[in-house]
């Protein structure tokens, strides 16, 4: 199995609900390792850049408004098949369709608004390769091989 890295965002709704730790536990329990982490409040310009693939879509403005409404936690997760595994743990993008036992199914239960879906995760290797450097330079990612002993 391939070791991959994926970008995860614990979004402002999750931060507001005080469940950062519980969400990270879900990742760790699935053998995904946090190799980079930071809390950041995105400004409009950066949010529009991060979500530029959705520019022009009907939900773009509400998505940008929401993602800039408070701080979020950005993580790099590393592990076997990290991208697909993370997507399975997160559950369906639409909180109304996310199954119980998934992060969105449990933490966005009863939520009607699609942008308020608790977490974001890279959807493919090529996306992760763009999304990870958006938040972290390589030297801020502490995979086992990067750990200094001196
Ligand atoms: P995320 O994984 O962060 O990727 C893009 C986000 O856009 C997605 O999660 C949702 O929060 C949001 N989104 C996608 N589709 C819709 C939609 N139809 N209406 C509102 N928000 C959407």
């Amino acid at each position: 199995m391939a070791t991959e890295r994926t970008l995860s965002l614990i979004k402002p709704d999750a931060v507001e609900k005080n469940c950062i730790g519980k969400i990270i536990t879900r990742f760790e329990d699935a053998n995904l390792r946090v190799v980079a982490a930071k809390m950041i409040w995105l400004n409009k310009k950066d949010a529009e850049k991060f979500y530029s693939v959705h520019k022009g879509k009907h939900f773009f403005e509400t998505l940008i408004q929401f993602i800039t409404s408070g701080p979020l936690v950005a993580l790099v997760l590393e592990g076997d098949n990290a991208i697909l595994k993370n997507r399975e743990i997160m559950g369906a993008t639409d909180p109304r369709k996310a199954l119980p036992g998934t992060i969105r199914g449990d933490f966005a239960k009863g939520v009607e608004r699609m942008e308020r879906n608790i977490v974001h995760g890279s959807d493919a290797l090529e996306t992760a390769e763009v999304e990870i450097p958006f938040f972290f330079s390589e030297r801020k990612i502490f995979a086992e091989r990067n750990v200094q002993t001196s």
Side-chain angles (χ1 to χ4, degrees):
M1 248 186 269
T3 301
E4 295 173 345
R5 286 177 182 171
T6 189
L7 182 84
S8 170
L9 300 181
I10 300 178
K11 296 186 179 184
D13 50 344
V15 174
E16 171 66 25
K17 289 177 180 175
N18 201 23
C19 55
I20 298 169
K22 291 191 184 105
I23 291 170
I24 291 178
T25 298
R26 300 280 180 113
F27 298 141
E28 291 177 340
D29 286 350
N31 284 328
L32 292 174
R33 177 172 287 273
V34 175
V35 294
K38 72 175 164 194
M39 197 166 199
I40 180 172
W41 193 324
L42 285 180
N43 63 34
K44 191 164 183 273
K45 187 165 158 257
D46 287 341
E48 287 178 347
K49 193 169 167 206
F50 180 76
Y51 277 128
S52 60
V53 66
H54 297 297
K55 202 168 175 148
K57 294 185 184 164
H58 68 93
F59 58 85
F60 186 67
E61 289 307 321
T62 46
L63 174 62
I64 298 305
Q65 250 175 35
F66 164 66
I67 206 71
T68 58
S69 66
L72 56 78
V73 177
L75 306 168
V76 179
L77 303 174
E78 191 177 82
D80 287 340
N81 281 333
I83 293 165
L84 186 61
K85 192 183 275 183
N86 184 37
R87 293 185 69 76
E88 285 171 1
I89 297 167
M90 288 192 297
T93 305
D94 185 342
R96 292 165 294 196
K97 295 185 182 149
L99 297 176
T102 64
I103 293 172
R104 288 166 173 155
D106 293 346
F107 295 102
K109 204 172 159 187
V111 169
E112 296 288 323
R113 310 252 322 245
M114 193 130 149
E115 69 275 8
R116 303 182 73 87
N117 63 349
I118 298 286
V119 278
H120 165 84
S122 306
D123 64 3
L125 209 50
E126 309 80 64
T127 321
E129 281 168 4
V130 175
E131 290 184 348
I132 291 172
F134 188 90
F135 286 95
F136 300 98
S137 63
E138 187 63 29
R139 67 187 187 86
K140 295 283 170 69
I141 302 175
F142 297 95
E144 219 168 315
R145 63 180 175 277
N146 290 344
V147 172
Q148 306 269 318
T149 49
S150 56

